[in-house]
Structures are given as C-alpha cells and as structure tokens.
Amino acid sequence: MRFIFVLSVLLVLSGCAPVKQSDNVAPTVEKGGFMGLSKTNDIEVNGANAVKGENRAVVPYFRVAYYTENNPGGFTGNGGDKIVIRSELMGVESDTLQRITDEAYKNFVDQMKQKGIEVLPLSSLKKSPTYQTFKGESQYKDKALFGPDAIYVAPSGMKMSDTKITRGLEIGKIMNEMNASLMDVTLYVTYLSQRVESTLRVVTGISIGQTTSVTPGSVMQFYGLEASKCKGYCPNTVASARLGQPVYSTEQLGELRETTTAGDKAGDIAVAALTWLTPNQNAKFNNTNRYELHADAAKYEKVVTGVLKEATDKLVSSLTSAQ
C-alpha cells in the first residue's frame, strides 16, 4: 500500500498531475479538510478583559513581515507540514515596503483611536530607557511563520528590538517606564497562493496564482496596565487577537513566470522518492516548480495597503470588543 501511495506522489511530481498557473487562485478558507486550514474562526480572541477600561497605549513593537522569496503556499495547524511555493517577488523595492508599513501603522493608530484607545506618539518613547537600547534599523530579514524568511519592516522612526528570550521582561520595563498599556503587532503578507485538488488523497492537480494575503498567525497583543497590577493568580493580563483565516485579494500584481529547469525537476523527484522510502518520514504535497512574480510596484503598494487595512480593522475591532 505504501509503495502505491509513493508511486502516486512521484507521478504527480513528474508531471502526471498538472500544475496550472492561474491569474486568480484564492487560498483555501474552509475550516479543516485535506491541505486546508486548522479548524479556527476568522479571528481568535483571548483575554479580552485586559483591554477593558484602558484608554492609552504605547506601541514599541509594530512589524509587517513581507515574504519576498519562497512564499508560503498553505496554512496548516500546529505540527502540520509547511507548504512552500518556490518563488521570488520581483520589482518591489524597500522604499515601497516602507510606505506600505507607514500607512498600515497610521491606519492602526486611527482605528485604535476610534475604539477609544489613544496610541501614544513614537516620540514619547524617548522617556523609556529600555526602548532607547533598541536598534535604529527599520528593516531586516529573519525567520517567519510557515517556513520561509521574510523582510520585517517597522514604521518610520520606530526602533526594533532584537530581544527574544527576555521579551517579557522588556515589555514589563517599558510599561512601567511609560505608565501605559503596551501593544505588540506583527502582520505577515504573502504574494502567491497554491490550491491542491485531490481524489482519495492522491493529488490530481495543483493551481498557482497571484494572491496577496495577510496570513493566519498575524496578531495584535495588548498588555493591560491595570491588569498587570493584579496580585496573585492573574489570568487576563494580556489580550490577543489573531487571524485564523487569511485576509486576501486576488487582484493581479504583474506577470507570473515559471522558471523551473529540467535539473530542478529531477532533483525534486529524487528527494521526494528518498523521503517516501524512508521509514517514519512523511513527504509534503508541494508544487516543486519555480516561479517569479514580476510585480508592478504601484499595484503591489495599492493591493497590499488594502488587505493590511482590512486585516488591521478586523483585528482592532475584535481586540477592543470588551471596551
């Protein structure tokens, strides 16, 4: 039985199951199912009471992570395989990413204000000795959700922390120094989407298309100042709103080109064969072709700004629902 399943997969990789390139391929949004998403709501909210009664917050952490190489091709639950479209986004420069991020932050601040919470200006963070130790760079490349690296961009004028292990201590210090609640925001943006068609767990086709998504896992966290003063057992000191389903647009950004070589394909088939013939090792149902998306920078900026606004509006609204 395993040999038959292996053979089916190898036939797919060798071209028996067509890889279709499409202008518009919406991501899988049904909750659950083969190669689908984990069974989650559009927005997952936890600890909302931490926001209740608060009316001001400082935001030393706000990042938009842009995938520009090896775009995630599917969003799985905890422990699921990471599906990756081997690709590169062309034609989008760092200044475009900066403008998009600045607009996303401006919209975030406006939305928070409409919900009754003032976001203190970045200049106010000069009062925080802890924040002053942050790095001055506004862009860097690092690991991101679902496998590939991403370019992280902060709003103009915001420093970036490189603290990971002691982030909780860092947050507590800044809250005390600023005497304000604190927010930590990270949004992830992709540019392609992959849809897999299957029958009886045998892949019969794969579709690749231009889809701009703010992915599941994008999150806003709110550390309540008053909630942090709780003594003893304190279950609701931090509120979070996290995307469980993608917010996306299928508007075309430019020309999508396939760049797969015969050598690429042969190597992929060999790796898949070894994987499936290795005991206790699972292979990934993944399109092994290579792509380049040659985007029009103006279209990219317009579309990404739009999906970020929609995602931010949803997250802010859900996070502040207890207000």
Side-chain angles (χ1 to χ4, degrees):
M1 180 62 71
R2 182 176 177 83
F3 175 77
I4 295 174
F5 197 25
V6 171
L7 181 61
S8 298
V9 174
L10 294 181
L11 288 175
V12 170
L13 292 171
S14 62
C16 290
V19 177
K20 296 175 287 184
Q21 192 176 128
S22 174
D23 292 334
N24 302 315
V25 174
T28 304
V29 296
E30 64 265 18
K31 298 165 186 174
F34 178 69
M35 292 305 296
L37 301 168
S38 58
K39 296 179 180 179
T40 59
N41 296 322
D42 290 343
I43 307 285
E44 298 176 289
V45 179
N46 292 293
N49 284 339
V51 186
K52 194 170 184 179
E54 300 288 354
N55 57 19
R56 62 199 295 267
V58 64
V59 184
Y61 313 102
F62 186 100
R63 304 180 301 172
V64 181
Y66 301 89
Y67 293 96
T68 58
E69 296 180 50
N70 296 330
N71 184 96
F75 314 114
T76 62
N78 292 335
D81 286 342
K82 296 176 180 177
I83 312 303
V84 176
I85 302 172
R86 303 182 188 189
S87 57
E88 185 173 0
L89 176 65
M90 316 286 286
V92 179
E93 303 297 333
S94 60
D95 58 344
T96 299
L97 302 182
Q98 191 65 61
R99 285 195 302 273
I100 295 170
T101 304
D102 289 347
E103 184 61 28
Y105 182 73
K106 178 179 179 296
N107 175 68
F108 160 74
V109 171
D110 290 344
Q111 288 297 314
M112 291 295 291
K113 184 177 181 180
Q114 289 181 27
K115 298 299 182 180
I117 299 177
E118 175 192 6
V119 174
L120 300 179
L122 292 178
S123 59
S124 68
L125 282 164
K126 292 179 181 178
K127 300 176 183 177
S128 167
T130 302
Y131 177 78
Q132 292 308 310
T133 65
F134 288 12
K135 293 182 178 180
E137 63 183 359
S138 63
Q139 299 190 18
Y140 68 94
K141 195 169 187 177
D142 201 356
K143 294 180 180 179
L145 288 178
F146 309 111
D149 289 352
I151 298 175
Y152 289 83
V153 184
S156 297
M158 180 179 288
K159 295 184 177 184
M160 286 217 189
S161 170
D162 60 357
T163 299
K164 295 179 181 178
I165 297 176
T166 59
R167 173 64 69 87
L169 295 175
E170 185 177 83
I171 288 172
K173 288 180 179 180
I174 295 174
M175 289 177 66
N176 289 331
E177 292 162 356
M178 298 297 299
N179 192 34
S181 297
L182 180 147
M183 290 194 68
D184 183 352
V185 179
T186 307
L187 307 169
Y188 299 89
V189 178
T190 65
Y191 57 97
L192 295 179
S193 185
Q194 171 174 290
R195 184 172 62 239
V196 177
E197 295 91 33
S198 63
T199 302
L200 298 177
R201 292 188 60 82
V202 174
V203 177
T204 58
I206 302 172
S207 297
I208 296 292
Q210 300 184 41
T211 309
T212 306
S213 299
V214 181
T215 76
S218 295
V219 63
M220 292 184 180
Q221 294 176 297
F222 187 101
Y223 295 78
L225 179 63
E226 293 304 316
S228 70
K229 298 175 182 178
C230 166
K231 304 296 183 181
Y233 176 64
C234 305
N236 294 316
T237 61
V238 183
S240 67
R242 187 182 304 271
L243 284 185
Q245 302 290 336
V247 174
Y248 65 91
S249 168
T250 56
E251 183 175 341
Q252 293 184 60
L253 304 178
E255 181 185 0
L256 181 59
R257 304 174 187 173
E258 184 182 340
T259 59
T260 316
T261 66
D264 291 335
K265 205 69 173 178
D268 293 335
I269 293 171
V271 169
L274 288 173
T275 300
W276 274 96
L277 293 174
T278 301
N280 301 319
Q281 180 68 42
N282 292 324
K284 301 174 183 178
F285 291 102
N286 196 8
N287 170 23
T288 59
N289 292 359
R290 275 74 166 167
Y291 300 91
E292 290 178 352
L293 175 55
H294 292 256
D296 177 279
K299 287 183 178 178
Y300 180 88
E301 184 171 348
K302 170 181 172 291
V303 172
V304 175
T305 297
V307 293
L308 279 170
K309 182 181 187 306
E310 182 181 350
T312 299
D313 291 354
K314 286 185 175 183
L315 288 167
V316 168
S317 179
S318 298
L319 187 67
T320 58
S321 59
Q323 279 291 90

